[in-house]
Amino acid sequence: MIGCNREKSKNELFGNFKKTYNIKGKEVVLNKNFLGNPGRIVCFDSILIIHDKYDKYFMDIIDIKNKTFIKRSGIIGRGPGELLLPFSINISAIERNSVEVYDVYTNKLFLYNIDSIINEQHYKPTIIFNGTNGKKFKYFQIIRTDSFIIGTGLFPKGRYLIRNVENR
């Protein structure tokens, strides 16, 4: 574990790794300064989605192949299709070309289709999991499979919770 109280050499920090690699790439320069406080980044082919937690919109969509900013999407608010506290964003393991966003305030998981976000002016996501079904659990991270919802958080019996998709 890396601590903050003493200087450590490169060998001490990375000694447990069998191999190290130098990563090379090209910087993608965009002509728009739009990021507020970026968090998680997910990528579909050449579409990059940046979860920006502290702004009016919580998703920045960029075409990295053409080096262009596409749009901002996902409005933070209380209206229809808006989320109050979008906490996590993941590539959907079930729905093609989609991301799932967990709103920790409403305890709901929303599905956003990337093509629809890009092409529709007022896209509203679909609720795919309602965690408020009589339970008071709040998740830190949530992933959906065909049969289960798997979450991390502080739960009565530990840090992980697995529920079936019917929320039982």
Side-chain angles (χ1 to χ4, degrees), residues 39-83:
R40 184 162 168 85
I41 298 172
V42 296
C43 189
F44 292 97
D45 298 322
S46 65
I47 301 297
L48 188 70
I49 300 172
I50 302 171
H51 180 207
D52 194 347
K53 297 188 244 182
Y54 302 104
D55 200 5
K56 178 182 176 183
Y57 298 95
F58 60 86
M59 283 190 285
D60 300 310
I61 303 171
I62 300 165
D63 181 338
I64 54 177
K65 184 177 182 180
N66 296 313
K67 301 178 183 172
T68 56
F69 172 79
I70 297 173
K71 72 186 293 186
R72 304 195 82 195
S73 187
I75 298 174
I76 295 176
R78 295 182 182 271
E82 299 175 351
L83 280 65

Side-chain angles (χ1 to χ4, degrees), residues 146-161:
D146 286 330
S147 305
F148 299 102
I149 300 292
I150 304 164
T152 61
L154 301 174
F155 306 112
K157 295 183 180 178
R159 292 192 38 121
Y160 303 97
L161 181 66

Side-chain angles (χ1 to χ4, degrees), residues 15-34:
N16 292 331
F17 296 101
K18 294 180 181 176
K19 289 185 177 183
T20 59
Y21 299 93
N22 290 325
I23 299 174
K24 296 178 182 178
K26 293 182 180 179
E27 181 179 10
V28 175
V29 179
L30 300 170
N31 294 327
K32 189 168 181 85
N33 185 11
F34 56 86

Side-chain angles (χ1 to χ4, degrees), residues 42-142:
V42 296
C43 189
F44 292 97
D45 298 322
S46 65
I47 301 297
L48 188 70
I49 300 172
I50 302 171
H51 180 207
D52 194 347
K53 297 188 244 182
Y54 302 104
D55 200 5
K56 178 182 176 183
Y57 298 95
F58 60 86
M59 283 190 285
D60 300 310
I61 303 171
I62 300 165
D63 181 338
I64 54 177
K65 184 177 182 180
N66 296 313
K67 301 178 183 172
T68 56
F69 172 79
I70 297 173
K71 72 186 293 186
R72 304 195 82 195
S73 187
I75 298 174
I76 295 176
R78 295 182 182 271
E82 299 175 351
L83 280 65
L84 284 170
L85 189 55
F87 196 72
S88 69
I89 183 170
N90 294 300
I91 295 172
S92 176
I94 300 167
E95 306 291 333
R96 188 178 180 277
N97 204 32
S98 297
V99 292
E100 297 173 356
V101 180
Y102 174 61
D103 184 350
V104 72
Y105 188 84
T106 62
N107 206 16
K108 294 176 183 174
L109 186 63
F110 294 84
L111 183 70
Y112 287 82
N113 178 276
I114 302 307
D115 292 329
S116 297
I117 293 171
I118 292 170
N119 297 317
E120 294 178 26
Q121 178 123 12
H122 302 289
Y123 176 73
K124 292 182 183 164
T126 304
I127 298 172
I128 53 175
F129 175 73
N130 185 347
T132 60
N133 187 13
K135 311 285 188 207
K136 299 290 182 190
F137 301 132
K138 293 287 185 181
Y139 302 90
F140 295 144
Q141 194 67 254
I142 189 168

